[in-house]
Amino acid sequence: MTSPRKTYIIANWKMNFTPGQASLYLQRLSNRVQTSRDLQVILAPSTISLQPLSLQINRRQFKLAAQNFYWRDFGPYTGETAISQIRSFVDYAIVGHSERRYLFHESEQDIAAKVAAAIRNGVTPILCIGETSFERKNGETKSAISAQLHEGLHDISAEDVDKVIIAYEPVWAISSTKNARPAKPADIADAQDLIRKQIARLYGKATAEKISVLYGGSVNADTAAGYLAIPGIDGLLVGDASLVGDSFCSIIEAAKRYQE
Ligand code: 13P
């Protein structure tokens, strides 16, 4: 293993699976996958499945992540779920996914408040950042990534920042985007370099070395190993390919081989 940091393989199931289907998936996965101290496999089901899966899951084998939550801890917010209500079920929470930014109009302020709420509640936020196709075409990749990183971490102190995981998710490489295309390893390497340089500027070099940076554009069983080999990339946030047990297991196997 070349990195002192852990490897993360995260299944973002998005709005798929009933609690029953999620439970069956977990049961099958538990029988097939052996994890290690250096490899953290995380499942992010819909909010409705978090409580039942938390009773079923072996937390030494897998952890759970929320896909979304509201940043206030309680109050009159019809239809919302606070991280304080689900924190006993999860260890991680995805924040700022592009589907939330662009389909549900989450602002940078909402995202910063969610990162802070997760930290306040003892949950590790997985902050997703990444440029759109429009921004890339216009030469705004660097400024978009820098702005999202800066805004997302706005309320996070130097003491807490290494509790945040960053996922680089170029929007144009996510399967839900029209005409999505695979990202080139060189582009991902540049993005992770930019992310670490900015963390170094904001919080110092030692923190930049400590923080985990994942890749969250489309990956599958065939491409996972190539993405995991990019220097500075500490794991994958997987969408579509995590819905099929076989392909998700192959991605986990690729991560294990990479660590050997
Ligand atoms: P796909 O793997 O379906 O492209 O989605 C990636 C993603 O959005 C991970 O959060």
Side-chain angles (χ1 to χ4, degrees):
M1 195 178 148
T2 49
S3 164
R5 298 176 297 268
K6 252 188 202 193
T7 301
Y8 293 89
I9 300 293
I10 308 176
N12 179 5
W13 288 343
K14 307 191 177 180
M15 199 175 71
N16 294 287
F17 298 156
T18 62
Q21 289 167 330
S23 165
L24 194 61
Y25 185 117
L26 172 59
Q27 186 192 326
R28 291 185 178 146
L29 196 69
S30 324
N31 295 334
R32 288 179 67 173
V33 170
Q34 276 203 326
T35 51
S36 66
R37 222 158 36 104
D38 299 325
L39 172 64
Q40 184 65 70
V41 177
I42 303 170
L43 306 176
S46 297
T47 306
I48 183 83
S49 296
L50 287 172
Q51 192 264 357
L53 290 197
S54 75
L55 299 176
Q56 181 185 345
I57 208 160
N58 172 356
R59 279 190 173 188
R60 282 197 302 269
Q61 189 179 25
F62 306 122
K63 305 271 196 226
L64 291 175
Q67 289 179 19
N68 185 36
F69 56 91
Y70 190 49
W71 56 270
R72 290 191 192 270
D73 284 338
F74 60 90
Y77 305 102
T78 302
E80 293 296 324
T81 303
I83 193 78
S84 61
Q85 294 173 295
I86 50 175
R87 69 178 177 194
S88 62
F89 311 143
V90 303
D91 289 284
Y92 298 87
I94 298 172
V95 178
H97 192 281
S98 57
E99 286 151 17
R100 298 230 45 97
R101 289 176 191 266
Y102 302 112
L103 300 177
F104 298 97
H105 312 293
E106 277 190 13
S107 68
E108 294 295 354
Q109 285 80 4
D110 293 328
I111 292 162
K114 287 181 177 198
V115 173
I119 298 271
R120 182 170 75 241
N121 282 280
V123 172
T124 300
I126 301 161
L127 172 62
C128 302
I129 57 175
E131 78 286 2
T132 61
S133 167
F134 179 83
E135 287 163 337
R136 177 159 280 264
K137 272 190 215 131
N138 283 287
E140 293 164 9
T141 298
K142 280 189 177 178
S143 55
I145 294 175
S146 300
Q148 288 177 6
L149 193 61
H150 192 254
E151 300 284 335
L153 298 177
H154 190 266
D155 300 325
I156 303 306
S157 66
E159 201 177 288
D160 284 332
V161 73
D162 60 4
K163 297 179 191 145
V164 181
I165 294 175
I166 308 294
Y168 171 58
E169 300 215 350
V171 181
W172 47 271
I174 295 178
S175 67
S176 57
T177 304
K178 203 166 157 235
N179 301 326
R181 57 188 196 282
K184 292 195 191 81
D187 294 334
I188 301 167
D190 285 352
Q192 83 74 34
D193 191 51
L194 176 71
I195 290 167
R196 284 191 205 280
K197 282 199 175 119
Q198 191 168 357
I199 300 268
R201 266 197 303 276
L202 295 171
Y203 297 100
K205 215 164 175 259
T207 304
E209 285 304 310
K210 261 211 259 175
I211 211 153
S212 296
V213 180
L214 316 184
Y215 177 60
S218 256
V219 304
N220 58 41
D222 298 327
T223 58
Y227 288 127
L228 285 164
I230 299 169
I233 287 295
D234 303 313
L236 305 170
L237 180 49
V238 188
D240 244 16
S242 73
L243 295 175
V244 179
D246 279 348
S247 62
F248 191 55
C249 281
S250 303
I251 293 170
I252 296 170
E253 287 308 317
K256 278 197 198 160
R257 275 197 302 278
Y258 177 65
Q259 286 190 312
E260 279 161 8

